[in-house]
Amino acid sequence: MTLIAKWLAVALAVSVAGNAVLGWAYLGQRDKATTEATKREAVSSDAERTEAVAQQCSDGVANLGQVAEARAEAASESRKQAKAKADVHYKRADTVLMTPAPVPQDACLSAQARASEWLKERKQ
């Protein structure tokens, strides 16, 4: 082999080795880029799902708020009636507490007398 042929063979071998190294590096970078793109897509997909679930939660809370308002409106009449009954009971309790004991000096007989009076009122 001549000197020029040897030099050409060495240059060809170096070129092939360089191309192999560059090809190997390219494939590694391509794999990294593909992996990163896949991760970005997965994260983006997760974010979209999370956002959709959060929106459903917000919608559910808004619906619960509407239901609560409707129930509060429906219960307002019942609350008014309960307050009226409570006011009657409060007045009755005040009357009992302000009235002197029916049997002075005997709490037991006074309680029995009050209970009897209360039962008579209930029967009417």
Side-chain angles (χ1 to χ4, degrees):
M1 233 173 155
T2 64
L3 187 58
I4 294 178
K6 287 182 184 178
W7 280 106
L8 285 175
V10 169
L12 181 62
V14 168
S15 176
V16 167
N19 284 335
V21 169
L22 288 175
W24 188 265
Y26 166 76
L27 291 175
Q29 289 298 318
R30 184 195 66 183
D31 290 347
K32 285 182 186 177
T34 302
T35 302
E36 291 301 318
T38 303
K39 285 181 184 178
R40 269 194 313 271
E41 289 173 7
V43 167
S44 176
S45 178
D46 286 347
E48 289 172 1
R49 281 194 302 269
T50 302
E51 187 175 330
V53 169
Q55 185 61 47
Q56 288 176 343
C57 182
S58 294
D59 294 344
V61 169
N63 289 341
L64 285 175
Q66 291 172 350
V67 169
E69 287 176 11
R71 286 186 179 176
E73 204 173 300
S76 68
E77 185 59 36
S78 296
R79 278 195 298 275
K80 287 178 187 175
Q81 291 173 359
K83 185 183 180 320
K85 283 184 180 181
D87 289 342
V88 169
H89 293 296
Y90 290 147
K91 287 178 186 174
R92 171 91 171 117
D94 288 341
T95 302
V96 168
L97 291 172
M98 290 187 304
T99 306
V103 181
Q105 311 298 325
D106 193 344
C108 187
L109 287 177
S110 293
Q112 287 176 347
R114 284 184 176 155
S116 295
E117 184 63 31
W118 178 72
L119 287 173
K120 286 178 191 174
E121 289 175 9
R122 274 190 84 192
K123 287 181 182 179
Q124 293 175 358

